[in-house]
Structures are given as C-alpha cells and as structure tokens.
Amino acid sequence: MCGIAGSYLWPDGGPLTDRLTKTLAHRGPDGSGRWSGRAGDGEVHLGHRRLSIIDLTETGAQPMVAEGLVLTYNGELYNAPELRRGLESLGERFRGTSDTEVLLRAWRRWGVDCLPRLRGMFAFGVFDERTGELTLVRDQLGIKPLFYVRRGGGAVFASELKALANELGDLTVDDAALVASLLYYWVPDSRCAYREASKLPPGSWLRLRPDGTSESGTYWSLREVAASAREVSDVDLAAVVEESTKAHLLSDVPVATFLSGGLDSSYLTALAAKHQPGISAYTIGFRAEDAKFEAMPDDLRYARVVAARFGVDLHEIEIAPRVLDLLPKMTYHLDEPIGDPAAINTFLICTAARDAGVKVMLSGMGADELFAGYRKHLANTLALGYQRIPGAVRRPVHALVDRLPVATSKRGYRSVRFAKRFLSFADLPEETAFRRSYTMYDRAELTALVSQDLSGTVDEVLTEHADTYHDNELTDFVNRMCLADSRMFLPGLNLAYTDRSSMAASTEVRVPFVDVEVVKAAFAIPGNRKIVRRQGKVALKKAAERILPSEIVYRPKGLFSAPLRAWMSRDLAPLVREVVEEGLLVRNGFLRREALRRLVDEDRTGREDRSKHLWHVLTLEHWYRAALSAE
C-alpha cells in the first residue's frame, strides 16, 4: 500500500510531482521515488511513496521501469501468485517477488485487457515510453482512491485530494458536493469537493495522449455483475469467503484484524486464525460514562469470546479521545467533508497497531452492504408491511412517537431514536424511503438548511440518488438496496474513510468481503435468503455457523461508531455554539443560522437526536475553513 502522484504535460511538472509526493508521505514512510521522461513535446513525471508489504527489497521499489513501461502503483493483488505463474508459462521472467512487477508484466503482455484478470485493491498510473501515453486505472469496487485534475491536454493526479488542493492552490469549492455531503454526511464517489477535480470511477481507466486527446473505458461494472449473478444457481458462500480471507493474508509483514465482536469481524478473524494461528486482533471500548449515556452494547465481551475461542492475541483500546484535537486532524486526513466518527476509531486502532509493528489489518467492511446487514435494510422491508396498516391506526402511532424524547440529561433512549427514524420514511415510496432511511434530511429540511439559492442544487442531488437507485434491472427489492449501497454508500463513505484514516496512520486495511468473487456470490443470493422474517444478513450467518459459535452469529448487531451524543453534550458543546453563531458557513451564507439553531435546540432538549447532524456540521466547517484558506 502506497501513495502515488504524477503530472503529464504540465508546467513545472517535476517540482510539482515532488511536492505532491511529499504530501503523501504518511501513506508510504518506507521509501520514495520519482521518474521523469518525455511525452511528445512535453514531460511526464511519476512519483511514489512506499509502504513495504510484499517484497521488502529494492526490487519492489517504485516507480518501476521495465521494457519501456513505467508504473507507479498503490495497492495489492491477491491473485499475484497465480498471475505470475501464468505469465512465466508465457515466457516472462521476474527479477523480484513483488506484485508490482506482476502488474507491470501483465500490462506489457495484455494492456487494458489485463484489468479484468486482477483481483485486489489498486489505483495506478502506467506510462508507455513508446507511445507517450499515460493510463490511469482504479480497482473494480473503488477500494483505493485516485483523484485528478485536467487542464488542456495535461493532467496531475494523486492518491489524495489534499495533495492536489494544497499544491495547485486555485481549486474552487463545489457547492453541489457540499450539499450532497449534508444529505449523506459524505460526498458521493460520483462527485468531488472541488469543481476542477475528479475521482476516477471504480472499474475504469483513463488514457492521456501526447497530442492532448484522451479516451476512457470501463472494464468492470457492478451493475452488470449483479444482473448476471442472478443466473447462478448455487453458491457455497462459506467457501468463497474463506478463500477470499486466505488470499487477503498474503504479506511479507505481520497481519492483524479488526475485531469488534460483531459477526463480520468475528467471522474474518476466525478464518484468519485458521490459516494464520496466533494472529493478533484489535478492538475498542469507550469510557463507561459515554457508553452508558449512548446505551451502547458491550462489544468487548463478544470480542473476548472470539479471541479465546480461536487463540487470537487480543489488544483492547479504550477510546477516550481528545475530540477537540482530533476533529481538525481527521478533517485534514479525510480529504472531503465526511461526518462519520468511525473514522476516529479506525485511525486510533491503526495507530495502536502500527506502534506495535503491524502494517496490515483485515476489516469486515462491506458485508453489511452486500448481504443486507444494516438496520435500514430490515426497516425498509418492514415498511412494506407497515404501509398495509390502515392510516387510522398509523396516525396515532406517529403522534405518540413524535412526543417521546430521545434522551434526558442522563441517558439516551435508543429504541425511541429507532422508532422516530423508522416513522420518518415508513410511508414513503421505495426509493425515497430507502434514501430517507440513511440520509440526514428530507428535501424540505435540507432546503431550509442551505441558502435559498441552492434549492435547485438540492433537487439535483436528490435526483442523482434516484437515478442511481433505479439504474438496474433487478426485480429483487433487497438486492436493489444492496446494489445501491455497494455503488454509493460503500465507496463514498466506508471505503473512503477506511482508506484515509488507516493511511494517516501508515497502515494498510484490507477488506476481504469487498472482493470481486465475494460480490458475485453475494448477488447470486436472492433477497429472501438475506432477510428472513425479522432478521438480516441471514445467508452470511448461515455460512458463519460453520466456524463461529451461535452466541456470536446471532448476537444483537453492534455499531462501529462513537458516543456522539455524549461528546456533543460535553466535549464539543462550546465548539457547536461557535460554529452556529460565527462559523464561516453561516457568515458566507451557505448555511442558515436559524436552521442550525433549531437543530441544536432539538438535540439539547432531547426532542430529536441531532448529534450526527451537528457532528457533520463541525466537520464541514473545519473542512470549509481549510478549503478557503487553500484557495
């Protein structure tokens, strides 16, 4: 895992590439390099920061040059051994053991046709000295990021948006992306926080030519995979997940796991321990008073059960962070306004692991999206039945729940929060209900929160969600939700914050569930085997039963989150007041002060749970201040 950057037909591209690469130093503290060459009448410069995982010798150093190709590559190929054997049978010879060299020689042999053969997480730039062309590529599911800016026939690219924003200095904030971030509490992968910058879409490539022209293509489509997977008659899901987990253990340095005690991390940890006995795992707990106020489940108890059962070396970390100090730090590293406090958990776990000499972690990320494990999936299926209840019965229920508080001064009421959330979308049409079940505001609330000049932008953002949700041929309601999540929620939020916060700690996080073979298996399973009666993720639970005890498989769902309500009422209350009254977002007219005051009042009195809304406003404010400073 590394950081990559480069420039193509760009003025002063060499010094710029050096500065971009330096900004990415945390992604690769083990080495750095830059290659420079000619591209037609201009220049190309490729930079690299190395985090040594496979082939720790200089034969794995980058940018890597061989037979007229130059590669700067960020990622891991889990099928590199199989690809190597296939290439050797065709006459290819290798100097070292790195997957970088496997990729380079696969590109020499097959060009873009090698891309569907790759199994892993990656983003890379490859330059062909013969043609003068630079090709940028991103992995199938958007695990690894790649940002770029184009001007004229030239371009610059980097693993992180901050590198481009800091070094180019003239990027402008995209108001539509900020409106989208308010809706979702993250920026969709289809958008970028700066107007001039773009994200290379998952499963795609972009080729730049020395005459200033370009072409692009898609080599893998999640929508098409989901559609074709319906025709698969039978899948041994347990075997697929185990094989993926085993492949993700490929490393020349120690590997550990996240272990929350929930199904996904417990399943991966048990499988990893089977193939790598004595593996380490890291788990978190919170201050007792915060956990009690938030009514959080005791995940540590379950993590200890798994560790004892499978001989795992468990490291427990208590999260009592100085959130006032971490907020600006995390906002910087997250690149775009992302309001999920789980990023703090990931950063602190990875920091502890790195301090113990661990560079690689396995995470259960992606299982909820693929196998319908979120509460929203179950809630939306229950809403279909709720809509059949007569309105005369539903209306009094709405009125009663609306009057209930979500918290007192001493504790929160999780069941009330869930009930209010459910009733906010239970009567709505399918796509609108699904959107409302996991986003922050409905249309009226979001329009009232932002400048009246942005009401058209609000409609544009909502339409984009609807277009993505309906862009499929699936007849299965549950799998339609899973597909929408895998195309939006997974790359836009979970994979994004996992990459940024782990790399901030110079640690690689691998996600065995977010794997092309697991994805195919997941969409071959009908929705009525994912949600059965009032239980979600049933297909994965059935697979996990082969190795995990029932008390782990069927335990109540935990949350990889943070005690936000406790933080808001204590640590962060003064900062919230400052942002509402004097923040740049309010002073510049992007947010309306009175609407923010209502959010604060509803949260303070316990009428509504607005802690996540206010946390995101804080992250957005910090990001916005830094962005305007960069401009």
Side-chain angles (χ1 to χ4, degrees):
M1 192 56 54
C2 308
I4 63 173
S7 60
Y8 185 78
L9 307 183
W10 198 275
D12 298 318
L16 173 60
T17 298
D18 287 340
R19 295 195 302 272
L20 293 172
T21 306
K22 184 177 180 181
T23 304
L24 304 174
H26 53 279
R27 296 185 75 94
D30 298 334
S32 64
R34 195 243 284 185
W35 180 91
S36 300
R38 301 295 303 177
D41 295 330
E43 296 179 346
V44 59
H45 304 272
L46 302 181
H48 191 266
R49 293 292 313 201
R50 186 182 186 194
L51 182 64
S52 303
I53 303 295
I54 296 175
D55 189 352
L56 310 185
T57 71
E58 282 303 305
T59 60
Q62 297 187 52
M64 185 174 286
V65 183
E67 300 175 15
L69 292 179
V70 189
L71 174 67
T72 183
Y73 158 64
N74 165 31
E76 304 289 354
L77 293 184
Y78 305 120
N79 64 337
E82 295 88 341
L83 288 172
R84 176 188 294 270
R85 288 192 292 271
L87 288 164
E88 286 175 335
S89 71
L90 296 172
E92 296 286 346
R93 295 294 176 261
F94 292 83
R95 297 185 304 115
T97 60
S98 73
D99 58 336
T100 307
E101 190 177 5
V102 172
L103 174 57
L104 192 60
R105 296 194 179 277
W107 189 272
R108 163 60 66 219
R109 175 69 60 170
W110 298 303
V112 293
D113 290 338
C114 80
L115 297 177
R117 304 170 187 247
L118 306 181
R119 182 181 183 183
M121 55 181 184
F122 50 84
F124 63 85
V126 59
F127 178 70
D128 191 325
E129 293 185 274
R130 297 173 304 173
T131 64
E133 296 173 341
L134 174 69
T135 306
L136 304 178
V137 179
R138 191 176 178 203
D139 67 57
Q140 294 95 328
L141 291 155
I143 304 172
K144 292 291 102 184
L146 190 60
F147 298 90
Y148 65 93
V149 172
R150 297 186 64 182
R151 288 179 185 164
V156 291
F157 67 91
S159 294
E160 295 184 358
L161 182 59
K162 72 174 71 61
L164 300 178
N166 292 348
E167 298 307 327
L168 297 182
D170 58 354
L171 304 186
T172 52
V173 173
D174 182 5
D175 286 346
L178 300 197
V179 170
S181 84
L182 283 168
L183 175 68
Y184 298 110
Y185 63 94
W186 39 274
V187 178
D189 208 55
S190 58
R191 294 184 176 272
C192 192
Y194 293 99
R195 292 174 191 163
E196 299 84 357
S198 301
K199 302 168 185 172
L200 192 66
S204 72
W205 53 270
L206 170 66
R207 177 168 293 152
L208 306 170
R209 298 193 180 96
D211 63 1
T213 63
S214 66
E215 65 174 321
S216 60
T218 298
Y219 67 91
W220 197 90
S221 165
L222 181 58
R223 179 175 61 85
E224 293 176 4
V225 168
S228 61
R230 294 177 299 171
E231 302 170 7
V232 178
S233 59
D234 192 30
V235 172
D236 186 346
L237 182 59
V240 173
V241 173
E242 179 167 358
E243 190 275 333
S244 178
T245 304
K246 181 181 178 181
H248 281 68
L249 290 169
L250 180 68
S251 175
D252 291 334
V253 298
V255 178
T257 73
F258 288 89
L259 178 56
S260 68
L263 170 65
D264 310 330
S265 65
S266 298
Y267 192 10
L268 290 187
T269 298
L271 292 172
K274 176 180 177 180
H275 295 283
Q276 190 174 303
I279 193 170
S280 295
Y282 289 78
T283 191
I284 58 171
F286 297 96
R287 291 179 299 195
E289 62 270 27
D290 290 347
K292 181 179 179 181
F293 186 88
E294 201 76 15
M296 302 181 81
D298 182 12
D299 289 334
L300 277 176
R301 175 168 67 88
Y302 296 101
R304 290 167 183 155
V305 169
V306 173
R309 175 78 171 252
F310 297 99
V312 172
D313 181 17
L314 184 63
H315 302 262
E316 299 179 10
I317 305 165
E318 182 175 276
I319 301 288
R322 296 173 59 88
V323 286
L324 283 172
D325 297 332
L326 274 176
L327 179 58
K329 181 181 183 73
M330 294 310 303
T331 302
Y332 169 79
H333 278 295
L334 289 173
D335 269 357
E336 294 183 291
I338 296 177
D340 193 334
I344 291 178
N345 300 354
T346 300
F347 173 72
L348 294 177
I349 289 176
C350 289
T351 299
R354 181 69 199 218
D355 290 345
V358 175
K359 287 185 178 182
V360 181
M361 303 279 287
L362 299 188
S363 165
M365 186 72 67
D368 283 318
E369 288 87 347
L370 292 169
F371 297 101
Y374 287 122
R375 291 188 179 90
K376 63 181 174 183
H377 298 135
L378 176 59
N380 276 277
T381 58
L382 293 177
L384 298 179
Y386 180 78
Q387 291 176 5
R388 292 194 288 268
I389 298 174
V393 177
R394 282 184 281 159
R395 283 190 291 273
V397 173
H398 278 257
L400 173 63
V401 173
D402 188 56
R403 290 194 297 270
L404 296 175
V406 298
T408 65
S409 60
K410 294 183 178 181
R411 62 165 297 178
Y413 300 113
R414 174 171 290 191
S415 58
V416 177
R417 295 204 303 271
F418 290 164
K420 285 178 178 279
R421 186 67 166 169
F422 176 76
L423 293 178
S424 72
F425 64 82
D427 293 325
L428 300 175
E430 179 183 320
E431 179 273 327
T432 309
F434 180 67
R435 168 175 55 80
R436 190 67 191 96
S437 70
Y438 74 98
T439 56
M440 305 283 277
Y441 307 93
D442 61 24
R443 183 191 179 282
E445 291 170 334
L446 186 55
T447 303
L449 180 63
V450 300
S451 166
Q452 62 181 6
D453 296 336
L454 295 171
S455 58
T457 304
V458 170
D459 290 334
E460 177 187 324
V461 169
L462 298 181
T463 298
E464 181 182 42
H465 183 280
D467 289 345
T468 302
Y469 186 87
H470 292 301
D471 179 31
N472 65 83
E473 300 173 358
L474 301 182
T475 57
D476 186 319
F477 172 45
V478 172
N479 275 324
R480 282 199 297 274
M481 291 190 289
C482 290
L483 179 59
D485 268 347
S486 299
R487 296 176 71 186
M488 296 188 71
F489 190 77
L490 184 58
L493 173 64
N494 284 337
L495 294 175
Y497 85 68
T498 298
D499 172 81
R500 315 297 196 276
S501 52
S502 62
M503 294 307 298
S506 302
T507 305
E508 172 179 303
V509 172
R510 300 176 176 181
V511 282
F513 286 115
V514 190
D515 172 84
V516 289
E517 298 303 323
V518 176
V519 167
K520 291 176 186 175
F523 284 103
I525 299 170
N528 61 12
R529 287 176 51 201
K530 293 181 177 180
I531 296 179
V532 180
R533 291 183 288 275
R534 296 194 174 188
Q535 187 169 161
K537 210 154 50 176
V538 172
L540 190 65
K541 290 175 179 176
K542 294 291 185 184
E545 281 181 333
R546 296 189 188 181
I547 192 169
L548 286 177
S550 293
E551 66 174 306
I552 300 298
V553 174
Y554 295 102
R555 59 155 292 194
K557 182 173 176 57
L559 294 173
F560 188 65
S561 188
L564 271 186
R565 285 195 54 79
W567 291 356
M568 286 299 165
S569 64
R570 300 167 189 165
D571 309 70
L572 297 172
L575 182 58
V576 171
R577 287 194 294 271
E578 175 200 333
V579 168
V580 169
E581 299 302 327
E582 300 295 333
L584 275 181
L585 289 166
V586 170
R587 284 158 47 194
N588 288 0
F590 182 83
L591 295 181
R592 302 191 200 190
R593 183 178 287 113
E594 286 307 312
L596 287 178
R597 285 173 175 168
R598 280 195 298 273
L599 292 178
V600 172
D601 184 62
E602 288 171 349
D603 192 69
R604 178 183 56 80
T605 59
R607 289 199 306 273
E608 301 287 348
D609 180 11
R610 301 297 191 184
S611 55
K612 183 175 283 189
H613 303 68
L614 295 174
W615 171 263
H616 183 59
V617 168
L618 295 184
T619 63
L620 183 58
E621 174 73 19
H622 273 277
W623 184 90
Y624 189 67
R625 291 176 184 178
L628 293 193
S629 177
E631 285 184 22

